[in-house]
Amino acid sequence: MADLRIKIGSLEFRNPVILASGTCGYGAELEDFIDMSQLGGIIVKGTTLEPREGNAYPRMAETASGMLNAVGLQNKGIDYFEKHIYPLLARYDTHVIVNVNGNSVDDYTELSRRIDNLESIPAIELNISCPNVKQGGMIFGTNPASAREVIAAVRKVYKKILIVKLSPNVTDITEFARISEEEGADAVSLVNTLLGMAVDVRTMKPKLSTVTGGLSGPAIKPVALRMVWQAARAVRIPVIGLGGIMNAGDALEFIMAGATAVQVGTATFIEPRTAPQVVTGIADFLAEKDFDSVSRIIGAINRF
Amino acid sequence: MADLRIKIGSLEFRNPVILASGTCGYGAELEDFIDMSQLGGIIVKGTTLEPREGNAYPRMAETASGMLNAVGLQNKGIDYFEKHIYPLLARYDTHVIVNVNGNSVDDYTELSRRIDNLESIPAIELNISCPNVKQGGMIFGTNPASAREVIAAVRKVYKKILIVKLSPNVTDITEFARISEEEGADAVSLVNTLLGMAVDVRTMKPKLSTVTGGLSGPAIKPVALRMVWQAARAVRIPVIGLGGIMNAGDALEFIMAGATAVQVGTATFIEPRTAPQVVTGIADFLAEKDFDSVSRIIGAINRF
Amino acid sequence: MKKRIEDLVVTGNRRLAESFFVIEATSAGVLPEILPGQFVQALVTESPSTFLRRPLSIHDVDRTSNTISLLVQIAGPGTERLSRLVPGVDKINLLFPLGNSFTLPSKGQRVLLTGGGCGMAPLLYLGRKISESGVEPQFALGFRNRSRILEHNEFRKLGTVHLATEDGSEGHKGFVTDLPVFRENDWDRVYCCGPEPMMKAVAASCRERNIACEVSLENLMACGMGICLCCIVPTNAGNLCSCTDGPVFNINDLKWQTSE
Amino acid sequence: MKKRIEDLVVTGNRRLAESFFVIEATSAGVLPEILPGQFVQALVTESPSTFLRRPLSIHDVDRTSNTISLLVQIAGPGTERLSRLVPGVDKINLLFPLGNSFTLPSKGQRVLLTGGGCGMAPLLYLGRKISESGVEPQFALGFRNRSRILEHNEFRKLGTVHLATEDGSEGHKGFVTDLPVFRENDWDRVYCCGPEPMMKAVAASCRERNIACEVSLENLMACGMGICLCCIVPTNAGNLCSCTDGPVFNINDLKWQTSE
Ligand SMILES: Cc1cc2nc3c(=O)[nH]c(=O)nc-3n(C[C@H](O)[C@H](O)[C@H](O)COP(=O)(O)OP(=O)(O)OC[C@H]3O[C@@H](n4cnc5c(N)ncnc54)[C@H](O)[C@@H]3O)c2cc1C
Ligand SMILES: Cc1cc2nc3c(=O)[nH]c(=O)nc-3n(C[C@H](O)[C@H](O)[C@H](O)COP(=O)(O)OP(=O)(O)OC[C@H]3O[C@@H](n4cnc5c(N)ncnc54)[C@H](O)[C@@H]3O)c2cc1C
Ligand SMILES: Cc1cc2nc3c(=O)[nH]c(=O)nc-3n(C[C@H](O)[C@H](O)[C@H](O)COP(=O)(O)O)c2cc1C
Ligand SMILES: Cc1cc2nc3c(=O)[nH]c(=O)nc-3n(C[C@H](O)[C@H](O)[C@H](O)COP(=O)(O)O)c2cc1C
Ligand code: FES
Ligand code: FES
């Protein structure tokens, strides 16, 4: 079998397929369907310093080949996480990564510092791109100076693998990828959701309580793929691609466009076994085409 | 029947449904299906000063609930247009609008000046957002200073109704809407296509000859709708909404989000009668809900 | 409870009144334990505008044939597509069993199961389980009018059925809460699943009379497994997921703020 | 020619060898004039991954029953869905007739119709029209191997059929261009529709021997009506639309640069 291993900084992943944050809970909910040891990693739910109730209902709307969500980072905060969730994560035979969120640079650094102390968490994903929270969140991901500030600050206090999750709601994604690289990130992951909305014509109201929300699913794949391609050509650090991956073919598109690894998000809601199926599909493709490792096809469209 | 008339600047439209540029040719191709007098208007193909051959084949790829195109403004230039096409357009009993494109400010102004002389063209749509041409095109639509320069220059030479077509590939759409308003545009139309790409996994090549292209269709509707909502709240000039409108329900979403008029694009490829069907559907909705005019529901979600 | 994803064979598809139908889906293997009030997430294939699965209550379970039945109302493209499934030909992919369950009554309790429209769906299996536990359920079912009354023979086999129609064209005139049987004061437990106004009216009346009452909510869901956090219900314990902490809630825990 | 959009009733769906099938679609009214080489844009409903219509050549036209037939190969989700259309039950929405047409021969000309796979589709109706014009067509059909040979009785009724298989398992071994009948030097006109390498080989040979040759191209199309400009073919007259200026082109006008 082809070698599926990839590396993000010094961290080796069994294969390039990772569960995306906010779409896999803390893993436990998926245990009936996924053996975590089949995956490269799992990025657990967006976590904040303080507990958050999230946004009001309704929080989701279906759209053409996609969905909008306005969850707003509902989570019980880092104290609860450390005490009640972290102990359960240690048993997974895969890399468990925490998605880190904040309203201020201090929030981000404080939270990162706390997670740096958690032995079985080898990496964080710095979410500077959540479109569903009023302050913070996307501001950091759409303003270059703020992005630089928060990444630099976190890099100072967080010693392990730092992945920066970029927002697609920007004019030039390469700018944010370059800033991440310059400030010492080990990788960038993209994309988070596109800011979108939907209207209920019958009631003449927005479908989401927050009016706008994050668009995910196959609808955004072409945009995500384009941004991954652009980012991968702009920086030397690995790019982790996501946005609308529903099967191995989609994942291979991202890898061929330059992604070192991929994340599976919304697809898990519809078919919880998508991520392991993507692993198998990538392996099958490599075997069929006689490639000895997945790294051989990273960025392939730029070469063939 | 409810009053469907709307106004863009001083120009009254029979109804708010317009055929989008690049998706209806010069109208003649659709005559078997559409009686132009049923529509608010038609925006003919993107036109340039000089003839353009456009991009190489392949120029399109289907995506989930959408398509990518990389036509690249293939057209025969303004001389040919004036001589051979313009005379045919005069017979349409609807507003015929020309979509104006250029590589430089001079291109845009020269072309606009030429069209200002064409009596039966009451308006132009200044396309500062085409993602499929190397120079010009999107540059003007993603750089605020360039956008301001080209709009101001065209406004000086073009006396009739000036619509500025905005690119969705920006961090803040309201910035460009405001610049358009400040520089004297009569309306903004949005969105043009989102920059996307697709990879053929079998050949490991991009599906488009240009690698990236413009994404249209229902996939982009949530993003388009969000930008229309944002723009409509940021400026007082009318906003013309488009992006993924396939039926009257979609059009109503845009109108309720703040659009004064809408354009039907890609839908015409699949169902050439979409635009007149949208007109009927809007009228039916207004009748059912007892609204006496379409203007009553423009921006409705902000009020109800 | 262990969840599974399975392609079941569609073995029945019966049209009821108006836009309602009952799908029977048979497993090739043995069905897992299923609690009353649990639901499935059904994959709708061949429907271009249906991206997510569709949550549907488990209407009944037949263990001899390993068949689940679903009582569905056509509400949009997803349910419309399901209404055209062809028995013997088509399969239906289900993720199940999902959610918590109704609390079964203790011996000797008097219980009333109230519902209407597709809200009747979970009440049949609940009634069956209650009946199996040795308690006789009674049913209070509400409909718009005579022509919208759904087949309820299976309910009758389990216990007395009381009908209400809004226009009085059959049964009692009014809502289920107007039924004399509902107003009697000696219910130990009331269960309700139906349109929100019905559930609120039932809940209000029960709260007033101190009757234990559980309702089954139909919040919008994306995953159905507790991972998306889209289906939340504000409760006294904070935002809970209606797909894992529900869909069945005790009315005393609910804030009901989401609804107006 | 006036185009129309119509829901035709699927009156036939026959499976041929391998992944090929023939759909018969019958109009409730009278079919318009249809030229050989023209195509339809078929709407594929109930296929979530099929957004655009699918271009398909008109394989045959039966004016007594107002039936169009389409010869289709399963290439992906759209054609796969079409392959499951149920005669008597399903409809198929067609936008047609589209495109230009093959040039019919003059009286007394010798004509060869070459093709393979689904490229055979337009050749039957072309052969019929040629035959009706008083010229006897001959057919040179190429296939991978015996098991991939498509039914061609209808072709035989119109003129001699010459078969080639790449592995020689039936007919002549090799490509259509290897057929002795093809190499004869006295064709006045050759028509070709098939995989690009076949069309290029036929074109090269015809150009060399100064034989008038028309090919039918299968460029990717979005609209099929000349409005999207996605289906362009580089020709001596610039980029032309293969949906309106084609799909039939004289090889002397083509640049063929797009293909390598
Ligand atoms: C736990 C649960 C159990 C349910 N049980 C049944 C049942 O037994 N029988 C039945 O007929 N219906 C049931 N529903 C409702 C059913 O899920 C929706 O009617 C269905 O999803 C509509 O899909 P559609 O594509 O046909 O229509 P859509 O066009 O998607 O929607 C039509 C209407 O249904 C609502 N709706 C859409 N999606 C959902 C969703 N995921 N959850 C709830 N409402 C939605 C929409 O707001 C809209 O008003 C249940 C819902 C839940 C949450
Ligand atoms: C004028 C014309 C006439 C045609 N006539 C026939 C015919 O008579 N019988 C037949 O079987 N096929 C014919 N084709 C090809 C047919 O259109 C494609 O096989 C079909 O569109 C594939 O759709 P799909 O969803 O099944 O597969 P997809 O997954 O969409 O595509 C599978 C393969 O087909 C190619 N393809 C996809 N869309 C198109 C398109 N719009 N045009 C051309 N190729 C495409 C793709 O590049 C891919 O390699 C014709 C094409 C054209 C342009
Ligand atoms: C319901 C939901 C919740 C999400 N929550 C988070 C989150 O907490 N943190 C984060 O970085 N991304 C979050 N995302 C974004 C996903 O991780 C992913 O970036 C996005 O959905 C695009 O990928 P997809 O199309 O494969 O889903 C969320 C997405 C969804 C649909
Ligand atoms: C094939 C194609 C060609 C287009 N050409 C132009 C153009 O010349 N000028 C322009 O302003 N927009 C052009 N567009 C963009 C459309 O006018 C429209 O903004 C976009 O497709 C989104 O709307 P839709 O989703 O309804 O198609 C083109 C779109 C397509 C699909
Ligand atoms: S539906 Fe996803 S958490 Fe309940
Ligand atoms: S397919 Fe649109 S112009 Fe030919």
Side-chain angles (χ1 to χ4, degrees):
Chain A
M1 208 185 92
D3 185 355
L4 292 185
R5 288 171 304 170
I6 56 103
K7 260 181 141 178
I8 305 287
S10 56
L11 190 65
E12 186 177 285
F13 288 68
R14 180 180 294 126
N15 63 52
V17 183
I18 302 167
L19 291 171
S21 179
T23 63
C24 58
Y26 296 112
E29 300 83 350
L30 292 168
E31 278 181 354
D32 291 342
F33 300 111
I34 304 185
D35 169 1
M36 294 297 161
S37 74
Q38 297 170 317
L39 302 182
I42 164 173
I43 307 184
V44 299
K45 198 179 284 191
T47 302
T48 52
L49 218 42
E50 306 294 331
R52 294 183 58 116
E53 277 284 286
N55 295 317
Y57 180 88
R59 289 181 176 183
M60 84 101 181
E62 194 181 50
T63 65
S65 299
M67 65 174 278
L68 289 161
N69 89 80
V71 171
L73 293 173
Q74 176 177 336
N75 82 101
K76 297 201 163 132
I78 186 68
D79 289 346
Y80 186 93
F81 177 85
E82 273 183 357
K83 220 161 158 176
H84 301 286
I85 299 167
Y86 174 65
L88 304 173
L89 298 175
R91 82 201 127 111
Y92 291 137
D93 174 20
T94 195
H95 294 318
V96 178
I97 299 169
V98 178
N99 183 264
V100 166
N101 295 268
N103 294 333
S104 66
V105 174
D106 286 349
D107 278 4
Y108 278 105
T109 51
E110 173 63 12
L111 187 53
S112 304
R113 211 192 309 263
R114 294 274 296 266
I115 298 173
D116 205 26
N117 296 329
L118 302 179
E119 204 182 339
S120 45
I121 309 288
I124 58 171
E125 183 178 56
L126 199 68
N127 184 10
I128 56 166
S129 48
C130 183
N132 292 326
V133 286
K134 283 264 155 55
Q135 318 146 291
M138 206 167 72
I139 283 300
F140 289 102
T142 56
N143 179 309
S146 310
R148 189 181 294 280
E149 191 190 346
V150 72
I151 299 166
V154 168
R155 181 69 294 178
K156 273 209 197 90
V157 300
Y158 187 75
K159 304 303 174 204
K160 304 186 209 163
I161 300 299
L162 173 61
I163 302 165
V164 178
K165 186 161 183 183
L166 303 181
S167 168
N169 302 297
V170 296
T171 309
D172 180 9
I173 194 76
T174 64
E175 184 177 12
F176 292 85
R178 270 194 223 98
I179 289 172
S180 305
E181 180 174 49
E182 285 160 15
E183 300 307 329
D186 295 292
V188 286
S189 59
L190 59 150
V191 298
N192 208 315
T193 51
L194 270 76
L195 195 62
M197 73 181 267
V199 172
D200 184 331
V201 169
R202 212 171 27 83
T203 61
M204 304 212 253
K205 285 185 187 159
K207 288 195 177 173
L208 301 176
S209 68
T210 47
V211 187
T212 63
L215 181 67
S216 62
I220 71 169
K221 195 184 75 173
V223 174
L225 206 52
R226 181 262 298 182
M227 290 190 169
V228 164
W229 179 70
Q230 292 178 319
R233 286 157 52 108
V235 296
R236 286 152 183 274
I237 53 175
V239 171
I240 304 173
L242 76 155
I245 294 178
M246 300 297 284
N247 53 46
D250 295 335
L252 287 163
E253 285 195 65
F254 276 92
I255 293 170
M256 290 176 186
T260 297
V262 295
Q263 294 180 22
V264 173
T266 306
T268 301
F269 299 164
I270 297 162
E271 172 49 88
R273 299 163 301 190
T274 303
Q277 286 166 356
V278 167
V279 176
T280 314
I282 293 173
D284 290 349
F285 176 86
L286 295 172
E288 190 194 314
K289 296 272 183 178
D290 250 341
F291 288 111
D292 56 9
S293 79
V294 68
S295 53
R296 292 284 308 283
I297 61 166
I298 296 171
I301 65 160
N302 298 318
R303 295 192 299 270
F304 288 82
Chain B
M1 206 184 93
D3 185 355
L4 293 185
R5 288 171 305 169
I6 55 104
K7 260 180 140 180
I8 306 288
S10 56
L11 190 65
E12 187 179 286
F13 287 67
R14 180 178 292 127
N15 64 53
V17 183
I18 302 168
L19 291 172
S21 180
T23 62
C24 58
Y26 296 112
E29 301 81 352
L30 292 167
E31 278 180 354
D32 291 343
F33 300 111
I34 304 185
D35 169 3
M36 293 298 160
S37 73
Q38 299 170 316
L39 301 183
I42 164 173
I43 307 185
V44 299
K45 196 179 284 189
T47 302
T48 52
L49 218 44
E50 306 294 332
R52 294 182 59 117
E53 278 285 284
N55 295 317
Y57 182 89
R59 288 181 176 182
M60 84 101 183
E62 195 180 50
T63 64
S65 298
M67 64 173 277
L68 290 162
N69 89 80
V71 172
L73 292 175
Q74 176 178 333
N75 82 101
K76 296 200 165 133
I78 186 65
D79 290 344
Y80 185 93
F81 177 84
E82 273 184 357
K83 222 163 156 176
H84 300 286
I85 299 166
Y86 174 64
L88 303 173
L89 298 176
R91 81 200 128 111
Y92 291 138
D93 174 21
T94 195
H95 293 319
V96 178
I97 299 169
V98 178
N99 183 264
V100 166
N101 296 269
N103 293 335
S104 65
V105 174
D106 288 347
D107 279 4
Y108 278 105
T109 51
E110 172 63 11
L111 188 52
S112 304
R113 210 193 308 263
R114 296 272 299 263
I115 298 172
D116 204 26
N117 297 327
L118 302 179
E119 205 182 339
S120 46
I121 308 289
I124 57 172
E125 184 178 56
L126 200 69
N127 184 9
I128 56 167
S129 47
C130 181
N132 291 325
V133 286
K134 284 263 155 55
Q135 318 143 293
M138 206 164 74
I139 284 302
F140 289 101
T142 56
N143 179 309
S146 311
R148 191 181 292 281
E149 191 190 347
V150 72
I151 299 166
V154 168
R155 181 69 292 179
K156 274 210 199 90
V157 301
Y158 186 76
K159 304 305 173 200
K160 303 186 209 163
I161 301 300
L162 173 60
I163 302 164
V164 178
K165 185 161 183 182
L166 302 181
S167 168
N169 301 296
V170 297
T171 308
D172 179 9
I173 194 75
T174 65
E175 183 176 13
F176 292 85
R178 270 195 223 95
I179 289 172
S180 304
E181 180 175 49
E182 285 160 14
E183 300 306 329
D186 296 291
V188 287
S189 58
L190 57 151
V191 297
N192 209 317
T193 52
L194 270 78
L195 196 62
M197 71 182 268
V199 172
D200 184 332
V201 168
R202 210 172 28 84
T203 61
M204 303 210 252
K205 284 183 187 162
K207 286 195 178 172
L208 300 176
S209 68
T210 47
V211 185
T212 63
L215 182 65
S216 63
I220 70 168
K221 194 184 73 173
V223 175
L225 207 51
R226 181 264 297 181
M227 290 192 169
V228 163
W229 179 70
Q230 292 178 318
R233 286 157 51 107
V235 296
R236 286 154 182 271
I237 53 175
V239 172
I240 304 172
L242 76 157
I245 295 179
M246 299 299 280
N247 52 47
D250 295 335
L252 287 164
E253 285 195 67
F254 277 91
I255 294 170
M256 291 174 184
T260 297
V262 295
Q263 294 180 23
V264 173
T266 305
T268 301
F269 299 163
I270 296 161
E271 171 48 86
R273 299 163 302 190
T274 303
Q277 285 166 356
V278 167
V279 176
T280 315
I282 293 173
D284 290 350
F285 175 86
L286 295 172
E288 191 194 314
K289 296 271 182 178
D290 251 341
F291 288 113
D292 57 8
S293 78
V294 68
S295 54
R296 293 284 307 282
I297 61 167
I298 296 172
I301 65 161
N302 298 318
R303 295 192 299 270
F304 291 81
Chain C
M1 286 175 67
K2 207 170 152 63
K3 299 181 282 286
R4 59 163 84 176
I5 297 175
E6 192 181 332
D7 276 322
L8 287 87
V9 177
V10 176
T11 45
N13 182 353
R14 232 163 357 108
R15 200 58 170 257
L16 308 183
E18 305 243 333
S19 55
F20 292 87
F21 59 98
V22 173
I23 293 280
E24 277 165 15
T26 303
S27 170
V30 176
L31 287 178
E33 185 191 357
I34 292 171
L35 306 176
Q38 288 193 306
F39 65 101
V40 305
Q41 277 275 59
L43 190 66
V44 185
T45 52
E46 309 209 332
S47 174
S49 50
T50 308
F51 175 62
L52 298 163
R53 287 178 183 260
R54 291 294 185 264
L56 297 168
S57 300
I58 294 173
H59 179 46
D60 207 358
V61 178
D62 180 345
R63 303 221 145 260
T64 54
S65 64
N66 284 298
T67 298
I68 287 178
S69 59
L70 308 169
L71 170 62
V72 190
Q73 174 169 29
I74 297 179
T79 46
E80 192 281 328
R81 185 65 192 84
L82 294 179
S83 75
R84 290 187 285 117
L85 288 176
V86 181
V89 174
D90 289 326
K91 300 200 166 188
I92 182 168
N93 183 282
L94 302 182
L95 164 56
F96 73 105
L98 301 172
N100 66 354
S101 71
F102 291 105
T103 310
L104 290 182
S106 336
K107 280 258 146 58
Q109 288 196 316
R110 299 203 47 181
V111 303
L112 183 68
L113 284 61
T114 62
C118 64
M120 280 169 59
L123 301 186
L124 180 62
Y125 187 55
L126 172 60
R128 193 176 301 291
K129 284 294 183 187
I130 288 173
S131 172
E132 281 170 14
S133 79
V135 171
E136 195 195 299
Q138 294 199 32
F139 300 92
L141 307 177
F143 302 95
R144 186 109 31 99
N145 55 49
R146 168 187 229 129
S147 73
R148 300 203 108 200
I149 294 178
L150 298 184
E151 183 197 282
H152 48 275
N153 285 337
E154 291 298 314
F155 292 86
R156 282 197 198 284
K157 290 185 191 160
L158 301 171
T160 316
V161 173
H162 311 271
L163 292 185
T165 53
E166 291 177 31
D167 65 356
S169 52
E170 191 162 331
H172 193 82
K173 181 177 155 93
F175 301 105
V176 284
T177 40
D178 298 322
L179 279 166
V181 70
F182 178 77
R183 300 177 159 272
E184 279 181 30
N185 210 5
D186 54 355
W187 299 112
D188 296 303
R189 281 189 175 273
V190 169
Y191 304 92
C192 184
C193 183
E196 206 164 277
M198 175 194 282
M199 291 199 286
K200 293 205 164 160
V202 168
S205 172
C206 287
R207 199 173 281 138
E208 216 168 75
R209 292 144 67 200
N210 255 312
I211 300 170
C213 176
E214 286 178 341
V215 294
S216 176
L217 303 184
E218 296 199 350
N219 279 17
L220 287 171
M221 293 184 177
C223 72
M225 299 174 280
I227 54 179
C228 76
L229 306 188
C230 288
C231 63
I232 49 124
V233 191
T235 71
N236 299 329
N239 282 339
L240 293 184
C241 280
S242 79
C243 69
T244 46
D245 301 309
V248 177
F249 290 92
N250 187 304
I251 57 163
N252 294 328
D253 298 332
L254 290 178
K255 293 199 170 168
W256 287 115
Q257 297 120 316
T258 56
S259 23
E260 263 79 34
Chain D
M1 285 176 69
K2 209 172 152 63
K3 299 182 281 283
R4 57 164 83 178
I5 297 175
E6 193 182 331
D7 276 323
L8 288 87
V9 176
V10 176
T11 46
N13 183 352
R14 233 162 357 106
R15 201 56 171 256
L16 309 184
E18 305 245 334
S19 54
F20 292 87
F21 59 99
V22 173
I23 294 280
E24 276 164 16
T26 302
S27 171
V30 176
L31 286 178
E33 187 190 353
I34 291 171
L35 305 176
Q38 289 193 306
F39 66 100
V40 304
Q41 277 274 61
L43 190 68
V44 185
T45 51
E46 309 208 331
S47 173
S49 51
T50 306
F51 175 62
L52 299 164
R53 286 177 183 261
R54 292 294 186 261
L56 296 169
S57 301
I58 294 173
H59 180 46
D60 207 356
V61 178
D62 181 345
R63 301 221 145 257
T64 54
S65 64
N66 284 298
T67 299
I68 287 177
S69 59
L70 308 168
L71 170 62
V72 190
Q73 174 169 29
I74 297 178
T79 47
E80 191 281 327
R81 184 65 191 83
L82 294 179
S83 76
R84 290 186 286 117
L85 289 176
V86 181
V89 174
D90 288 326
K91 298 200 168 189
I92 182 169
N93 183 281
L94 302 182
L95 163 55
F96 74 103
L98 301 171
N100 66 354
S101 70
F102 289 106
T103 310
L104 291 182
S106 336
K107 282 255 143 62
Q109 287 196 318
R110 299 202 47 180
V111 302
L112 183 67
L113 283 63
T114 62
C118 64
M120 279 169 60
L123 301 185
L124 180 61
Y125 187 53
L126 171 61
R128 194 176 299 292
K129 283 295 183 185
I130 289 174
S131 172
E132 281 170 14
S133 78
V135 171
E136 196 195 299
Q138 293 200 32
F139 299 93
L141 306 177
F143 300 97
R144 187 107 34 98
N145 56 49
R146 169 187 228 127
S147 73
R148 300 204 106 202
I149 293 177
L150 298 184
E151 182 197 284
H152 46 276
N153 285 337
E154 291 299 315
F155 291 87
R156 282 198 198 284
K157 289 183 191 162
L158 300 170
T160 316
V161 174
H162 310 272
L163 292 184
T165 53
E166 290 177 32
D167 65 356
S169 52
E170 191 161 330
H172 193 83
K173 182 176 156 92
F175 301 106
V176 282
T177 40
D178 298 323
L179 279 166
V181 69
F182 179 76
R183 303 181 157 272
E184 281 181 31
N185 210 6
D186 54 356
W187 299 111
D188 296 305
R189 283 190 172 274
V190 168
Y191 304 92
C192 185
C193 184
E196 205 163 278
M198 176 196 279
M199 292 200 285
K200 293 208 165 157
V202 168
S205 173
C206 287
R207 199 173 280 138
E208 214 169 75
R209 291 144 68 200
N210 254 310
I211 300 170
C213 176
E214 287 178 340
V215 294
S216 177
L217 303 183
E218 296 199 348
N219 279 18
L220 287 172
M221 292 183 178
C223 72
M225 299 175 281
I227 54 179
C228 76
L229 306 188
C230 287
C231 62
I232 48 124
V233 191
T235 71
N236 300 329
N239 281 339
L240 293 184
C241 280
S242 78
C243 68
T244 47
D245 301 309
V248 177
F249 289 92
N250 186 305
I251 55 164
N252 294 329
D253 298 332
L254 291 178
K255 293 198 170 168
W256 289 114
Q257 296 119 316
T258 55
S259 21
E260 262 83 31

